[in-house]
Amino acid sequence: MKTKLLFPAVAGALLAFSGPSFADVAVQAATDLNVRAGPGPQYPVVGVIGAGQATTLRGCLESSKWCSVADSGGEGWVYSDYLVGDFGGQQVVLSARPADSGIVVVDPPAGGADVVIDGTTGAIIAGEAMPAIDPPVEVRTYVTDNRIEPVYLDGEVVVGAGLPDTVELTEIPDSEYRYVYVNGQPVLVEPSTRRVVYVMR
């Protein structure tokens, strides 16, 4: 079984927490999940939490699905549609947690306003976690050798998520799949369903 990388410490990504001290909350990734240097798709990926792997939730931004997590290796930001925690004795997706869950509101990292993107072309459609395909080396090589301009979408790209019709998919010779760079990361897409089947890390 492949070991997933937990995120390293990231300079400048330390968080300023609001309110009194609080107890951290244990959560699990529902699928392989990017950890980013800041709360948004425009920030670089600094690591990955593997499917089923636990991490510590520090808190979430107010009125946002971006939350901060930490382990002994450092801190980062993840999209809460793909984190699961125990709320009232039930495993609940973090973005659907009860209003009285007690999750702490945190402030965004300092300087975050300096990291901007030109705009998004829609939102990633959250989907059920599914196993990734194992594409041939030739397909992966083609995608990395033929970079295209990335599109930025609200949300996080994971296997099983859907892409809106506004995103143009690029053909891969002799392959049933298409590709696109989403939020800075190349992904393979099944064209008839527009679902992500592989994220190249």
Side-chain angles (χ1 to χ4, degrees), residues 54-119:
T55 190
T56 301
L57 175 70
R58 304 297 303 276
C60 299
L61 293 178
E62 190 169 13
S63 303
S64 172
K65 291 188 177 184
W66 289 95
C67 298
S68 65
V69 293
D71 78 348
S72 59
E75 301 176 345
W77 294 83
V78 295
Y79 199 67
S80 63
D81 274 354
Y82 304 104
L83 285 179
V84 178
D86 186 329
F87 296 97
Q90 293 187 355
Q91 292 295 308
V92 177
V93 174
L94 192 58
S95 57
R97 66 191 180 277
D100 61 353
S101 62
I103 298 298
V104 170
V105 173
V106 296
D107 294 327
D114 297 337
V115 182
V116 295
I117 52 178
D118 292 335

